[in-house]
Amino acid sequence: MFKNLFKNTPEGEIQEVNLDEAKMPQHVAIIMDGNGRWAQKRGLPRVAGHKRGMEVVKDITKASSDLGIKVLTLYAFSTENWKRSEKEVSFLMDLPVKFFNTFVPDLVENNVKVNVMGYTEYLPEKTQKAVHDAIEQTKDNTGMILNFALNYGARAEIVTGVKKIAQKVVDHELSIDEINEDTVSKSLMTESVAPYNNPDLLIRTSGEERISNFLLWQLAYSELVFTDKLWPEYQPADLVENIYEFQQRDRRFGGVKEGKNK
Ligand code: IPE
Ligand code: IPE
Ligand code: MG
């Protein structure tokens, strides 16, 4: 059991909670949503929400690492987010630069290793450099993997994976009969966080209850937790609460609960 962990109650109070160490999710993925609404509620421009959201990423990274999570995947920019205004996209492209400039020493101190999945070749040069440098500076760390989905889209990821497999067939490295679920899984971007390719827990903030082109293959048996909290107001106590909810779930993977097989 972990000690001194707290969660928020529906009444807004803070309550001590014991998480079950044996049932910790190993891979947690988060759709960090609600930055724009958080800012607009305060009469601020949308980008103010992204700025505050970046600070929340730092807090949640540290909390996740302290909780012993192996992989934390954060959806930071989708292949569809290019549809936003030039001003907003440009701000979002600067965020990784700001984030890594200030946070890499903390990542090193916490033994956290950075990984990025997505079509990074389409990001501005400065963003690519920030990402590349952060990966390089944390490559020897052996603790939690902080995995950013940056210019990531699951449908595009699947298309890329299918092409890789098709090329192997054309090159006679693989026969069609040899293609199985493992082949597909290995062709996806989450192979970079193997053996934790599939999230145990997916959290989406902001009250929206949809997947928005995130990890379509990998979420097949993930537990989904939706919270009304907007990302800029999400706190370590909320993460604990969401993990607590995960631990109450009965993951059956299509089977029958133990002892109920009669
Ligand atoms: C999530 O917050 C951050 C990104 C998608 C980059 P949003 O910017 O989507 O915030 P809302 O959903 O408009 O409130
Ligand atoms: C999903 O949020 C993408 C990220 C959090 C990076 P969106 O705000 O883009 O998703 P929709 O448009 O509400 O589906
Ligand atoms: Mg949104």
Side-chain angles (χ1 to χ4, degrees):
M1 291 283 188
F2 291 95
K3 290 205 176 75
N4 301 321
L5 291 174
F6 300 93
K7 73 176 183 81
N8 297 313
T9 64
E11 295 76 38
E13 289 160 357
I14 290 194
Q15 191 182 64
E16 193 162 356
V17 57
N18 283 321
L19 289 178
D20 182 345
E21 209 170 342
K23 279 188 170 180
M24 284 302 287
Q26 294 189 297
H27 182 168
V28 175
I30 307 184
I31 302 178
M32 309 181 289
D33 199 15
N35 292 354
R37 276 165 282 171
W38 180 88
Q40 279 168 342
K41 260 179 30 182
R42 286 163 179 73
L44 299 168
R46 292 178 54 83
V47 296
H50 298 316
K51 188 163 176 247
R52 173 69 209 135
M54 181 182 83
E55 299 306 321
V56 172
V57 169
K58 295 178 183 175
D59 296 343
I60 296 304
T61 298
K62 278 192 194 160
S64 302
S65 165
D66 290 347
L67 284 166
I69 288 164
K70 306 280 189 219
V71 179
L72 176 67
T73 297
L74 300 177
Y75 203 6
F77 193 88
S78 79
T79 45
E80 286 75 37
N81 286 147
W82 296 104
K83 293 175 189 167
R84 299 185 179 200
S85 75
E86 204 187 311
K87 183 180 160 222
E88 183 168 349
V89 168
S90 147
F91 191 91
L92 288 168
M93 290 301 145
D94 268 338
L95 273 188
V97 182
K98 292 197 183 98
F99 178 81
F100 291 124
N101 265 346
T102 54
F103 200 50
V104 165
D106 288 58
L107 293 175
V108 171
E109 197 183 307
N110 287 279
N111 197 22
V112 173
K113 181 176 175 162
V114 174
N115 189 65
V116 173
M117 42 177 224
Y119 298 90
T120 51
E121 63 274 28
Y122 296 101
L123 303 176
E125 206 56 57
K126 58 171 191 257
T127 315
Q128 287 192 44
K129 183 178 178 333
V131 163
H132 175 271
D133 290 352
I135 292 172
E136 186 57 31
Q137 287 158 347
T138 61
K139 70 173 191 311
D140 295 328
N141 293 346
T142 54
M144 188 182 83
I145 297 178
L146 173 59
N147 183 33
F148 282 104
L150 206 50
N151 198 20
Y152 170 89
R155 287 183 171 176
E157 175 193 38
I158 291 170
V159 171
T160 303
V162 168
K163 284 183 181 170
K164 274 196 240 167
I165 294 169
Q167 190 62 54
K168 282 193 183 155
V169 173
V170 169
D171 294 343
H172 302 288
E173 285 171 30
L174 191 71
S175 74
I176 287 179
D177 287 344
E178 282 169 338
I179 300 173
N180 56 27
E181 291 188 9
D182 198 42
T183 323
V184 176
S185 179
K186 284 193 160 74
S187 77
L188 301 177
M189 293 172 177
T190 35
E191 183 60 11
S192 59
V193 297
Y196 307 109
N197 303 46
N198 304 318
D200 301 294
L201 167 62
L202 172 82
I203 299 166
R204 182 170 188 151
T205 59
S206 90
E208 306 296 352
E209 300 190 353
R210 57 175 169 265
I211 300 301
S212 299
N213 203 14
F214 196 40
L215 302 173
L216 294 179
W217 168 280
Q218 297 88 335
L219 292 175
Y221 269 110
S222 308
E223 292 300 327
L224 312 181
V225 171
F226 299 101
T227 164
D228 285 337
K229 281 274 169 84
L230 303 171
W231 180 251
E233 62 198 18
Y234 192 78
Q235 292 171 8
D238 299 308
L239 177 66
V240 169
E241 183 183 335
N242 294 156
I243 292 176
Y244 183 79
E245 180 171 344
F246 165 84
Q247 295 193 333
Q248 311 314 305
R249 303 270 179 96
D250 177 23
R251 299 186 83 187
R252 291 190 290 275
F253 300 98
V256 179
K257 202 175 175 178
E258 222 174 290
K260 303 238 161 133
N261 240 333
K262 288 183 214 157

